[in-house]
Amino acid sequence: MNTPFIGKKSSAAGGWGALKSCGKQLLQSGMPISGARTLLKANQPDGFDCPGCAWGDPEHGSSFEFCENGVKAVAWEATEKRASPAFFAANTVSDLRKLTDYELELHGRLTHPMRYDAASDRYLPVAWADAFAEIGGILKGLDNPDRAEFYTSGRASNEAAYLYQLFVRLYGTNNFPDCSNMCHEASGVGLRQSVGTGKGTVLLEDFEAADAIFVIGQNPGTNHPRMLGDLRRAALRGARIVVFNPIRERGLERFSDPQDKLEMLRGGATDIASHYFQPQLGGDMAAVRGMAKAVFAAEEAALAMGLPPVLDHAFLAEHCVGLDDYRATVAATDWAAIEDQSGLTRAEIERAADVYRTADRVICTWAMGVTQHLHSVATIREITNFMLLRGNIGRPGAGLCPVRGHSNVQGDRTVGINEKPPADFLDALEAHFGTAMPRKDGHNVLAAIGAMLDGSANAFIGLGGNFARATPDSALVERALRRLKLTVNIATKPNHSHLMPGEVSFILPCLGRTEMDLNSAGTSQLISVEDSMSMVHGSAGINRPASPHLLSEVAIIAGIAAATVGNGTVDWAALADDYDRIRDHIEATIPGFEDFNRRLRKPRGFHLRNSAANREWDTPEGKAAFFSGSLPQETVHQRAKRGGGRFALQTFRSHDQYNTTVYGLDDRYRGVYGERQVVFIHPEDLKALGAAAGERVDIVGDHDDGIERIAPDFRFVPYDIPRGSIAGYYPELNVLVPLGSVGEESDTPTSKSIMVTFRKREAA
């Protein structure tokens, strides 16, 4: 069978392929010279924070603190193409729905505020003042503030997010469905239970001192490419890097640093992983449990031979509770169960444990390969248990590192985007602003969708993002959005969420991260973001706005707020005209932001103090708490093994995308070109199905709620993946993720644990 879309995989991540891709993206933007000039200000003290990932910036950066993904993000935003009123006049919403995500966003930057006209099925221009007045009128007209949902994307700045939460709470609700609900919610829940804070405990500098780095369920080559530079430097100085990932990912195998001239000229690359293990989907907790079992065994053997202990007994005695119960739970977990659930052999797990027990300083990093499972919270607590055994939390070169996605997803939560706000935060808001705040918990993403479906929600406002394509159960979400009285999307480019209008619908175009944000005096405004290492730093755009009709996110929020709740408590226009005033409010209401405006203007910003990193445990026990739960009764791959031609599916990104934004149609690290409707499968599974590479199939969801879910017309790609497990790209496969299948304690969609079968299609 002809399979032209399957080609050669890159021999290493980065290298000449990355440079070629950067050039291609800049050319496609239509502004290659200005785009290249813009990149020189990416992640610089006097420039803007990259709108891509949340990886940290080094204390002593170079002039080139960007990666291939950063180039794509900047080129995507700084394109010369415009989705003007003429574009919307020429296309009905029904016609635009036929476009792919890639095709739709290729039309470029939004230039004018637009209002949906149902009679013509088109978006028409609207004046800003009229848009704000109508939105405010509808929100004020709802019989209960809880009937409105206020979504936030992780690209929003701290200033925009703080103003947003303040407006919404003055309006009267805690309904804050947030992009973090769909990615690292489990990290926050699990870490708070174990160590008392929902954030990672490491600084970027810790990667320079670690003896071993465990990378679990993460693909930095595509999702956080700048991280590869830190892993490469660690590998070159002899640190061992242990990878647990069902998929063989090129960036975790080899990396050619485009900034290393010698390596580039020689066509060389640096090996990243010293050990690479491929567990089954959902098998990470069992693998970590097995490593702990091996460490306990090594401790017993050492003591029996009169050797120094393996565990850090002084740390455990002073800082931890629950060790004895955990040790008993581990002893009661037999190796057969660990091997079956993890998909790894005892010997493999013991090799990984040997790296851990012989390393003085260990970092463990993870991402959505861990957090989007049914038992993700338990897995994160198991990872924390493992790291506690040898005191690898709260000292240099060691710690926990959940790697976030969007550039400010962590910061948004810090400044109040939380459907379950802490009481002390609400107390601080009430004392500072002199007015009561709503105390009832609000809706997360899945609860918001449920409220839309059952009619208890009537309005949706999206601060950035692409809600309809980022969420699970795509068909249900489309139905949910289109039945609302009001939908509002604050965005830089058209996306599919805009094509699911409610009775009244607005697209409100905002400035991008790379663009100058000028106040009434013509002064450039500074925003702030927080990265995965809790570093807060400033960002100021340098490019002229794509249109004179754009407003900043802050100005748009202020306009809606003034039209909805008025200016009695807050002078919204004054805050929008001087972000220092917003930061004064943040300083007054959120611990850690003392002297915010001055510290923000220091190169590289400042660090928000992390209690666990200082071995202060904000838990009920006042100490780090071991979790003693059993392994899951059954994981998705174990259910799939029970027969019936079922497979365990995970969704992930291609190399030419970031979250729901598709920059191109290639995935060169996996050898797929010009095609996104693909499913990666083990060659022996393909043979057992009697199928061939490139053959077309429908992927059918296998969930017990009576709803038919089908992703039609996907093509097989043979790949190095455990048997019984398959993988493919989101958002195309989100249609198969059931709304009712969520992580225990986190409510995160189980996008890495989807049960499916295949149905053959007739050849085209």
Side-chain angles (χ1 to χ4, degrees), residues 649-733:
L649 166 69
Q650 73 161 13
T651 67
F652 56 19
R653 299 170 179 157
S654 80
H655 190 60
D656 262 2
Q657 76 178 98
Y658 196 80
N659 292 340
T660 59
T661 300
V662 178
Y663 301 123
L665 301 179
D666 293 344
D667 191 354
R668 70 176 190 278
Y669 290 173
R670 300 188 183 110
V672 175
Y673 299 89
E675 176 66 82
R676 287 187 56 83
Q677 300 223 154
V678 297
V679 56
F680 297 89
I681 185 170
H682 192 283
E684 291 301 315
D685 282 336
L686 199 56
K687 187 187 298 183
L689 288 170
E695 188 169 324
R696 299 175 183 274
V697 291
D698 294 339
I699 310 176
V700 182
D702 185 357
H703 193 63
D704 58 0
D705 59 1
I707 298 175
E708 184 180 59
R709 296 177 178 86
I710 300 174
D713 198 18
F714 278 68
R715 303 207 275 182
F716 284 126
V717 176
Y719 209 75
D720 189 351
I721 184 172
R723 291 205 63 180
S725 292
I726 59 174
Y729 306 133
Y730 71 81
E732 288 85 353
L733 287 171

Side-chain angles (χ1 to χ4, degrees), residues 403-444:
V403 182
R404 314 285 174 168
H406 253 319
S407 63
N408 198 42
V409 64
Q410 184 161 302
D412 288 353
R413 181 59 60 93
T414 297
V415 300
I417 300 297
N418 191 341
E419 79 279 3
K420 297 178 180 178
D424 56 355
F425 174 62
L426 296 180
D427 292 343
L429 289 178
E430 289 185 350
H432 182 65
F433 291 102
T435 189
M437 297 289 160
R439 295 280 169 162
K440 186 176 73 172
D441 285 352
H443 293 157
N444 62 15

Side-chain angles (χ1 to χ4, degrees), residues 133 186 255 364 400 510:
F255 175 54
C364 184
L400 302 162
C510 65

Side-chain angles (χ1 to χ4, degrees), residues 367-388:
M368 289 188 288
V370 167
T371 63
Q372 291 184 326
H373 289 282
L374 180 68
H375 53 277
S376 293
V377 171
T379 301
I380 287 156
R381 295 202 66 181
E382 189 73 23
I383 290 170
T384 308
N385 291 345
F386 181 59
M387 294 290 283
L388 289 170

Side-chain angles (χ1 to χ4, degrees), residues 107-187:
H107 287 282
R109 293 289 302 280
L110 295 161
T111 62
H112 292 68
M114 308 295 289
R115 185 188 188 281
Y116 180 64
D117 175 61
S120 64
D121 191 30
R122 283 175 168 83
Y123 275 99
L124 306 177
V126 62
W128 279 109
D130 293 341
F132 293 152
E134 188 169 7
I135 293 166
I138 293 173
L139 290 176
K140 287 189 291 186
L142 299 181
D143 61 9
N144 187 328
D146 290 334
R147 290 192 178 277
E149 308 290 347
F150 297 87
Y151 178 71
T152 318
S153 159
R155 60 147 280 160
S157 67
N158 287 325
E159 292 73 21
Y162 184 85
L163 207 65
Y164 196 48
Q165 67 80 29
L166 179 60
F167 151 52
V168 173
R169 291 193 164 105
L170 290 174
Y171 175 60
T173 185
N174 284 312
N175 284 351
F176 286 109
D178 175 43
C179 65
S180 64
N181 299 148
M182 295 180 284
C183 53
H184 268 285
E185 193 70 45
S187 296

Side-chain angles (χ1 to χ4, degrees), residues 509-560:
C510 65
L511 294 171
R513 186 74 61 81
T514 64
E515 293 170 322
M516 289 183 287
D517 181 358
L518 304 179
N519 64 12
S520 60
T523 303
S524 179
Q525 300 256 45
L526 184 70
I527 62 166
S528 64
V529 298
E530 178 187 348
D531 64 30
S532 285
M533 282 77 176
S534 299
M535 291 294 298
V536 178
H537 46 271
S539 175
I542 63 169
N543 290 339
R544 292 176 58 187
S547 163
H549 303 285
L550 303 184
L551 294 180
S552 69
E553 290 175 323
V554 169
I556 295 171
I557 295 163
I560 296 173

